[in-house]
Amino acid sequence: MSDDRPGAAPAPTPDETPDLHSWIAPLISSVVTVPLGLLALLYGALSPMECDSCNGEVAERFHDSWMIGWTVLWIGLLIALAVLIASWAVPHLLRYAARRVGLALAAPATVGVTFVAFMALVDWP
């Protein structure tokens, strides 16, 4: 049965169904990603203290590799931030739920992969 009353709103099509729980995945991702990113950044910033007693060639190798790792860490954390923002920016429609959840899961995973890359790039003494 169709509703022919003037002013009656048409029923939303399946593609336009609003997702009332669209905020849950980005919120959980934010609660996980932001502290993980800050901890990774703190560890990366404090890691030069590992080589305080180093000198000569060991210190030079560590410093050069740390600079590369530090750059990779920053770039990766900025990518994670962009993915987190994208998870919030996905339209709040049911048909985009999978994209929203995928982006929400990708943000903390990006932080983890970035931190592992940082640890692998640095030539620890």
Side-chain angles (χ1 to χ4, degrees), residues 13-93:
T13 62
D15 289 344
E16 297 175 0
T17 305
D19 186 3
L20 300 177
H21 304 292
S22 62
W23 56 273
I24 294 174
L27 178 66
I28 292 171
S29 182
S30 297
V31 168
V32 172
T33 303
V34 172
L36 277 179
L38 290 175
L39 285 174
L41 197 60
L42 179 67
Y43 185 84
L46 294 178
S47 62
M49 293 182 354
E50 178 78 25
C51 198
D52 274 348
S53 62
C54 300
N55 52 24
E57 187 179 321
V58 173
E60 189 173 322
R61 264 194 340 260
F62 173 78
H63 182 273
D64 292 343
S65 66
W66 182 83
M67 289 300 293
I68 293 169
W70 182 246
T71 303
V72 168
L73 183 66
W74 267 101
I75 291 170
L77 292 178
L78 288 174
I79 290 170
L81 179 64
V83 171
L84 183 63
I85 291 169
S87 74
W88 281 102
V90 171
H92 299 278
L93 299 176

